[in-house]
Amino acid sequence: MKLKKGDRASFSKTITESDINLYAGLTGDFNSVHINAEEASKGFFGKRVAHGMLPAGLISAVIGTKLPGDGAIYLSQNLNFLKPVMEGNTITAICEVIEILNSDKGIYKLETKCINQDGDAVIDGEAVIKYTDTCKSEAGAVQPQKQNGTFYSVDELKKLGLKKYGSDVLISRNAVLYNPELLEIGSNVRIDDFTTISGRVVLGDYIHIAQFCGLYGGTEGIIMDDFSGLSSRVVIYATSNDYSGESLTNPTVPEKYKRTDKSRAVHLGKHVIVGATSVILPGVTIGEGSSVGALSMCSKSLESWGVYAGSPARRIKDRSQKLLELEKQLREEEEYLNEGQ
């Protein structure tokens, strides 16, 4: 496949506190304007801002996974930082082919930009990339191009044996899927490194599951609705051993000796977000729009549109519903981009 002038693709993500903290840890950039709310409040922006290269990285996500995808090689990138990006901003990276520099060698110039939920440009610039989707051996035979990056390619996804999946699905090659035939995935879903998924799990659209999460659906299942997400090391159990002593435990024991095990569905409503290292137990429903702080224990169901934290999780305050407006804008922009393709 060769790119042509006007080809366009995008990728959207809401920037979270976890994203900013993880980026600081990965890069070593612990500037107080990014990680210290009190110090940042005294600075130029009056609050914490994301590292400039964090939203810029979404441009790389578009190039590496969508336009053109696997096999793309960055040759250059210039960036202009126009507006700050804050925690909670939804950033959409958009790339468009604006010039074919060398068709034979597969070298293209792309316009690259990031816009926020209000439609304001926060970053713009241009990239030069090299892309060919096949390579030749010395004997001249055409061979499939080697796959690059952490995530399975489109062709590899087809071989995983998933029950169902949509478009723009990214699953890390380091994730463990014990029962792929029970896993249903919508569109615009990303599952990161070292996540373990077993049993029945149903994921909607625009879902992110960060590193080291565990989803144990059992027979009853775990359901995550659109725009829900898990920060790193969150564990969800739809099945659990009986800790009372009334039965034997663990998977090495025949089922007839574990009849009092708990198995109840878990449901995360639309726009639910769960903070790092939290635990959700069988039978819990988290209502639409609620957020759960880091290190929380959810042993009982939580009502909609609340901010919860603690062990057990307790409602601290109401959560803003502005994100519903942002979802509407995202859907409208998505529709516009699809019409233009």
Side-chain angles (χ1 to χ4, degrees):
M1 179 189 75
K2 288 190 176 183
L3 301 181
K4 61 182 183 297
K5 194 172 180 180
D7 283 350
R8 196 181 201 205
S10 65
F11 176 75
S12 298
K13 175 177 172 53
T14 299
I15 305 300
T16 67
E17 181 181 15
S18 294
D19 293 328
I20 297 172
N21 292 338
L22 286 170
Y23 190 89
L26 287 169
T27 62
D29 183 355
F30 293 101
N31 189 318
S32 60
V33 73
H34 305 307
I35 64 168
N36 188 317
E38 183 176 351
E39 290 298 318
S41 66
K42 305 172 186 176
F44 180 78
F45 299 110
K47 57 163 57 175
R48 287 178 63 184
V49 298
H51 305 71
M53 294 304 293
L54 173 53
L58 303 183
I59 296 172
S60 178
V62 176
I63 293 172
T65 66
K66 293 188 175 185
L67 183 73
D70 285 330
I73 299 172
Y74 248 131
L75 298 181
S76 68
Q77 172 79 65
N78 63 58
L79 299 168
N80 301 306
F81 297 93
L82 308 176
K83 285 192 173 185
V85 173
M86 314 291 187
E87 174 191 342
N89 285 178
T90 297
I91 303 301
T92 299
I94 303 170
C95 298
E96 181 176 345
V97 178
I98 58 174
E99 187 176 352
I100 301 171
L101 298 177
N102 189 318
S103 179
D104 292 337
K105 293 184 178 180
I107 299 177
Y108 305 88
K109 180 183 288 187
L110 276 59
E111 178 186 59
T112 58
K113 62 182 178 181
C114 292
I115 62 174
N116 63 19
Q117 66 280 357
D118 298 320
D120 298 328
V122 296
I123 297 173
D124 67 15
E126 293 182 347
V128 176
I129 64 164
K130 179 178 175 63
Y131 173 70
T132 53
D133 60 353
T134 59
C135 60
K136 293 185 178 180
S137 66
E138 291 182 1
V142 177
Q143 300 175 341
Q145 185 180 15
K146 292 182 179 179
Q147 301 297 335
N148 298 314
T150 298
F151 299 104
Y152 288 116
S153 69
V154 173
D155 289 337
E156 289 171 328
L157 280 178
K158 296 176 183 177
K159 300 175 183 178
L160 290 181
L162 302 175
K163 182 175 181 179
K164 176 183 176 182
Y165 67 95
S167 60
D168 298 321
V169 172
L170 297 176
I171 301 178
S172 168
R173 292 189 177 92
N174 295 317
V176 178
L177 309 178
Y178 279 110
N179 307 102
E181 72 279 5
L182 300 177
L183 178 56
E184 300 180 43
I185 303 176
S187 298
N188 299 294
V189 174
R190 176 175 140 185
I191 301 172
D192 285 348
D193 294 339
F194 313 116
T195 286
T196 299
I197 298 178
S198 69
R200 178 174 177 262
V201 175
V202 179
L203 307 177
D205 298 336
Y206 287 102
I207 287 177
H208 177 220
I209 299 174
Q211 298 95 332
F212 294 101
C213 287
L215 284 74
Y216 304 100
T219 58
E220 298 302 312
I222 297 168
I223 299 174
M224 293 179 61
D225 290 343
D226 297 353
F227 295 98
S228 58
L230 307 178
S231 296
S232 58
R233 301 182 187 277
V234 171
V235 183
I236 303 177
Y237 297 99
T239 182
S240 175
N241 292 136
D242 184 348
Y243 283 69
S244 70
E246 296 295 321
S247 69
L248 295 178
T249 63
N250 85 55
T252 67
V253 176
E255 290 300 319
K256 65 181 180 179
Y257 298 107
K258 303 191 298 174
R259 291 176 179 168
T260 57
D261 279 3
K262 299 177 181 178
S263 186
R264 290 184 291 165
V266 173
H267 184 191
L268 273 59
K270 198 174 180 182
H271 294 295
V272 165
I273 183 169
V274 182
T277 324
S278 293
V279 177
I280 301 173
L281 297 183
V284 167
T285 294
I286 301 180
E288 177 182 353
S290 283
S291 61
V292 178
L295 296 168
S296 295
M297 168 66 77
C298 300
S299 56
K300 295 182 180 179
S301 294
L302 308 178
E303 297 294 329
S304 300
W305 296 107
V307 175
Y308 293 85
S311 181
R314 294 182 175 84
R315 191 180 185 107
I316 299 172
K317 60 180 181 179
D318 293 341
R319 190 180 183 206
S320 170
Q321 297 188 31
K322 181 181 178 182
L323 54 81
L324 295 176
E325 300 175 15
L326 304 181
E327 178 194 351
K328 181 180 178 182
Q329 293 175 16
L330 173 58
R331 296 293 194 187
E332 290 172 349
E333 179 181 299
E334 186 180 55
E335 184 177 351
Y336 170 78
L337 291 174
N338 289 335
E339 288 176 353
Q341 292 180 350

